[in-house]
Amino acid sequence: MVLIDYKDTRPIYEQIVERFKTLILKNVMRSDEQMPSVRNLAMELSINPNTIQKAYAELERQGFIYTVKGRGSFVSGDSGLVEKRKNEYMEQILALAREVLEIGMSKAELIREIEVL
């Protein structure tokens, strides 16, 4: 489920956050599904439990999970997260499209390239 790339320059907790965000946004992990326990995931990945705790805290801060005291962490059912992510991607795409147009690509060329997808 979660793999750590030790060649990646990002901190391990950021890799964990990104992986779980991807799993949640792709609906691999469903609303109200229980997250792996901090202790079990730390043992499985052979990393410090504090690293997992930091990743879970960040996921909770961003609204991807919620914690129930004494029971663990669960996937949030917030459908607005997908819309928010789509909007973020659209902003990035539009910024790149503006840059491409500024360096001389025509709108027709850009549209043709997009339609190939």
Side-chain angles (χ1 to χ4, degrees):
M1 186 187 293
V2 177
L3 300 174
I4 303 300
D5 180 2
Y6 292 102
K7 295 178 183 176
D8 193 331
T9 58
R10 294 177 301 158
I12 292 172
Y13 87 93
E14 284 182 11
Q15 292 181 47
I16 295 168
V17 167
E18 284 305 311
R19 183 64 179 140
F20 275 119
K21 283 170 60 172
T22 300
L23 292 171
I24 292 167
L25 289 171
K26 289 184 175 181
N27 216 21
V28 173
M29 296 187 75
R30 300 192 183 278
S31 179
D32 298 321
E33 181 178 336
Q34 187 164 13
M35 299 286 288
S37 75
V38 169
R39 182 176 295 141
N40 287 343
L41 190 56
M43 285 176 43
E44 182 182 317
L45 298 175
S46 299
I47 60 175
N48 191 315
N50 292 334
T51 303
I52 305 297
Q53 190 62 47
K54 187 174 181 178
Y56 279 17
E58 181 62 21
L59 286 164
E60 188 166 8
R61 188 188 69 73
Q62 293 182 21
F64 284 89
I65 65 172
Y66 64 94
T67 301
V68 176
K69 195 168 185 116
R71 294 203 47 230
S73 297
F74 299 83
V75 175
S76 173
D78 187 356
S79 62
L81 293 172
V82 173
E83 281 304 311
K84 182 180 176 187
R85 187 64 145 207
K86 284 180 185 178
N87 291 335
E88 290 172 1
Y89 285 144
M90 188 53 67
E91 287 176 19
Q92 293 173 1
I93 289 168
L94 292 174
L96 286 172
R98 282 187 211 98
E99 286 183 37
V100 167
L101 294 172
E102 287 173 1
I103 63 168
M105 182 182 253
S106 71
K107 282 186 181 179
E109 288 175 301
L110 179 59
I111 291 169
R112 263 196 315 272
E113 290 297 322
I114 291 171
E115 286 177 340
V116 169
L117 300 174

